[in-house]
Amino acid sequence: MTEGSMYVGTTWCGTCPEGTPLAGETGKCNAFGISEYNCEDSFFGGTPPLPQGYGYGIVIAFGIFFSVVTSFLVWLDYKYGGTKQTSEQFNTAGRSVKTGLIANVIVSEWTWAATLLQSSNVAWQYGVSGPFWYASGATIQILLFGILAVEIKRKAPNAHTMLEIIRARWGNTAHKVFFFFAILTNIIVCAMLLLGGASVIQALTDMNLYAAAILIPVGVIMYTAHGGLKATFMSTYLHTVVVFIALCLFAFEIYATPNTGLGSPATVWEHLTAIVQQGGAYKGPVADNKGGSYLTMFSKGGFIFGVINVIGNFGTVFVDQAYWMGAIASKPSASYKGYILGGLMWFSIPFTLATSLGLASVALDLPITKEEAGAGLVPPAVAVYILGKSGAVWITIMLFMAVTSTGSAELIAVSSLFSYDFYRTYINPKASGKDIIRVSRYVIVGFGLFMGVLAIILFKIGLSLGWVYLFMGIAIGGAVAPIYMALVWSKASAAGAMTGAISGTLLGLMAWLVTCQGYYGKINIDNLGGDYPMLAGNLTSIMSSLIICGAMSLWRPQNYDWKTTREIPTVDEDASSHGPMTGPDSPEAMDRAKKVMLWVGWSLSLLLIVIWPLLALPAGVFSKGYFTFWVVLSITWGLLATIVSTTLPLWEARESLMTILKNLVTCSTPTQEEEMSGVAQPGDFGKQVFPAPSFGNLGEAVDTKP
């Protein structure tokens, strides 16, 4: 029988011999007979599976490779595809991106280091409920943001940033308040990217931690500064495809390859059941889970994590300019479709990956410590066990893809905020398109280097990826409700929005500290990272902001008509940045799209966070058959997402690709018709009347501010 395929107990190797980390102790034999992990006090034990050169090679070589490839693709598009390099193109990708690429962009922007690492950590902690709550709790924000994506096209079609909308509606003071929240969000997201990325690369290759934090952003800076948002989107496609391929590889290795010691859902079920009933050397029953099982949705810890996850992630979607850029860059008809498809595709990454790697870490009784799990080292540990060095290489590449693609989106988001909402608003109101591009590039380089320095500072302080992930909702959750209301509620007032955002954040911080002191009796970094302080802070931040903003706006409503948001101008006139006014991109179509998106967004959200978990509760502790169904569902979801992610963008871009290929082969430049890309003229889309008469009299509201 294959080593590791059946339960053999935790004392079969006797007392740990001298020279081992746990010398003299008993009960530290791998429960499934995997002798190489007997008497270990950690999985990695300070010895990385890959030489240091691998780390530097992957970070530097892949950084240069993707910079060259992406820059070349952007050059081809400019030279032979008819795209003109203007500030509108640099920061909005021409507002013409189609559904498949927008969906890939959403997947890429939402696939952080935490997605790949922390999702498996919660599986290691709570069992099947962890991957589910990670996936569902961070998918609904994308689905609900699709509502805002439609509203942007209806009410602010020429906006470059969310803060332009805030300023057009509520003025300069509100603009400055929410500028702070927007930049804070980008800083937190970038911190998490590099905390996770640098930690795992160091664990796998012994690459210097600080060198990794500095070098990871360098390649991203190069292609983002050269090609802007279009370069970011092109690299996003390449990165996302690699992540999905790796996801499928690991899922099949664990659930379909017997020589790993597992090989089927039934075997994984048997191992997890044995760990609970008879104990493992390193894991046992889960406290506060039904029957102590890893195979149940009755999980107190999993549910608390799910609540924190839902609340915290609203901030990092709704307050992050990167997600607004996806909506701004899309064709009107692709905006909401891209967010629906992207959300459903992204669900498979934490769900499938953590159901595979996270559960396998327990089912194999690997000697992973709490500290290693908290640092995101569960996936690397399992990958190294099942694939050896190649597994470590795959995880390192997968992680690098996720960190750099999201990092690129964050860089272009920050550059847009500084170039449009700081430089053009307060420094040089008459800035030309060339000025905007120049400032954007300066910011990309400056903030990219700042990302690395910030990560080093956080490492010195001692903050982990998991700690920052749970804290983000407290820091930025107060801004969620006001920003959402800016586009969907005519009564929302500037005073209510600012008071709600600031008060919500301060109350959230207060609740976080008070709960920590009351529950643990002492405030320190470890206690502040506990479930209950984080839960109290996250809930208070977002809910108090919602109540304060809503109450003040009802008391003294603005009764806004969105006229000024529709008048936000472009900087450069660019025909390719304006879609046709007929068909699926027409005002009437956008009015219908809003109604569809409201129904689909809220229905899918309720399905994922209410109906699905309720339907799983009657199963109690999963039977072998039910668990097999659960695993098959996760793998199928991952396979479908991989197919769509890989093929749909190419299919939608087939005409543009053929144009570039034809012009490249014939060494000819694009015709005027190809450059115009349709019948629209510069400025057409900004002149559309939103909403259309078919939507009612929403656009006829009169400002009745007291």
Side-chain angles (χ1 to χ4, degrees), residues 452-659:
V453 174
L454 174 66
I456 292 173
I457 293 171
L458 294 178
F459 280 128
K460 286 288 187 180
I461 295 173
L463 299 184
S464 69
L465 171 64
W467 195 99
V468 177
Y469 183 81
L470 294 175
F471 172 73
M472 64 184 176
I474 301 173
I476 60 179
V480 172
I483 288 177
Y484 188 78
M485 291 177 185
L487 270 175
V488 302
W489 194 31
S490 63
K491 294 183 183 296
S493 66
M498 289 186 286
T499 305
I502 296 171
S503 300
T505 301
L506 294 176
L507 290 172
L509 290 170
M510 185 185 301
W512 177 51
L513 295 170
V514 169
T515 304
C516 180
Q517 178 65 39
Y519 191 79
Y520 295 107
K522 182 181 180 181
I523 294 178
N524 56 37
I525 288 179
D526 289 339
N527 291 343
L528 286 171
D531 285 343
Y532 290 103
M534 287 293 188
L535 178 61
N538 275 271
L539 270 175
T540 303
S541 183
I542 195 168
M543 295 307 297
S544 61
S545 171
L546 174 64
I547 294 169
I548 292 169
C549 183
M552 290 187 66
S553 297
L554 288 173
W555 176 45
R556 301 186 70 179
Q558 182 184 16
N559 296 320
Y560 182 64
D561 61 3
W562 285 281
K563 181 176 182 295
T564 53
T565 60
R566 295 191 185 102
E567 294 173 347
I568 295 172
T570 58
V571 177
D572 290 320
E573 288 293 358
D574 181 3
S576 67
S577 70
H578 303 287
M581 295 189 296
T582 59
D585 295 325
S586 68
E588 290 79 10
M590 288 295 96
D591 295 342
R592 291 192 296 271
K594 179 188 176 180
K595 297 173 183 177
V596 170
M597 194 63 230
L598 281 169
W599 189 88
V600 172
W602 284 107
S603 296
L604 287 175
S605 297
L606 289 174
L607 173 66
L608 290 176
I609 64 171
V610 178
I611 298 173
W612 185 341
L614 287 178
L615 290 176
L617 290 180
V621 175
F622 292 178
S623 65
K624 187 180 295 186
Y626 194 94
F627 178 68
T628 299
F629 162 76
W630 191 273
V631 169
V632 170
L633 176 64
S634 75
I635 294 176
T636 302
W637 203 313
L639 282 173
L640 291 175
T642 303
I643 293 170
V644 173
S645 172
T646 305
T647 59
L648 183 58
L650 295 177
W651 174 255
E652 290 181 332
R654 62 192 183 280
E655 293 181 2
S656 297
L657 293 173
M658 290 303 298
T659 297

Side-chain angles (χ1 to χ4, degrees), residues 34 358 625:
I34 309 175

Side-chain angles (χ1 to χ4, degrees), residues 4 48 79 148 247 253 269 324 413 462 495 555-556 650 662 680 700:
K79 180 71 174 178
L148 289 186
L247 177 149
E253 280 290 332
W269 182 91
W324 291 75
W555 176 45
R556 301 186 70 179
L650 295 177
K662 181 191 71 174
E700 299 172 3

Side-chain angles (χ1 to χ4, degrees), residues 258-333:
N259 61 10
T260 62
L262 298 174
S264 70
T267 303
V268 174
W269 182 91
E270 291 168 359
H271 280 216
L272 292 174
T273 301
I275 289 289
V276 173
Q277 293 178 349
Q278 302 174 69
Y282 306 100
K283 292 287 283 184
V286 185
D288 299 318
N289 274 24
K290 185 172 185 178
S293 177
Y294 293 89
L295 300 164
T296 180
M297 287 294 289
F298 279 99
S299 172
K300 180 180 177 182
F303 178 73
I304 291 174
F305 168 79
V307 174
I308 298 173
N309 198 39
V310 169
I311 296 169
N313 283 315
F314 270 107
T316 46
V317 172
F318 284 77
V319 193
D320 190 346
Q321 168 64 14
Y323 297 94
W324 291 75
M325 296 196 75
I328 290 167
S330 65
K331 286 171 62 68
S333 57

Side-chain angles (χ1 to χ4, degrees), residues 348-370:
S348 69
I349 294 180
F351 186 52
T352 306
L353 190 69
T355 299
S356 303
L357 295 178
L359 295 183
S361 66
V362 180
L364 292 167
D365 195 27
L366 299 180
I368 300 170
T369 66
K370 183 179 179 180

Side-chain angles (χ1 to χ4, degrees), residues 135-201:
S136 62
T139 296
I140 64 170
Q141 295 83 357
I142 299 298
L143 298 173
L144 295 177
F145 192 89
I147 299 170
L148 289 186
V150 175
E151 293 289 45
I152 290 171
K153 298 303 182 184
R154 295 180 66 245
K155 297 172 180 175
N158 288 331
H160 307 89
T161 70
M162 65 174 177
L163 294 178
E164 284 187 331
I165 299 171
I166 297 292
R167 182 170 180 257
R169 175 167 185 175
W170 288 327
N172 284 343
T173 303
H175 181 255
K176 293 169 185 174
V177 169
F178 288 98
F179 185 90
F180 167 79
F181 281 103
I183 295 299
L184 179 62
T185 301
N186 292 124
I187 289 174
I188 292 175
V189 171
C190 290
M192 285 192 288
L193 290 176
L194 291 179
L195 281 173
S199 294
V200 173
I201 289 175

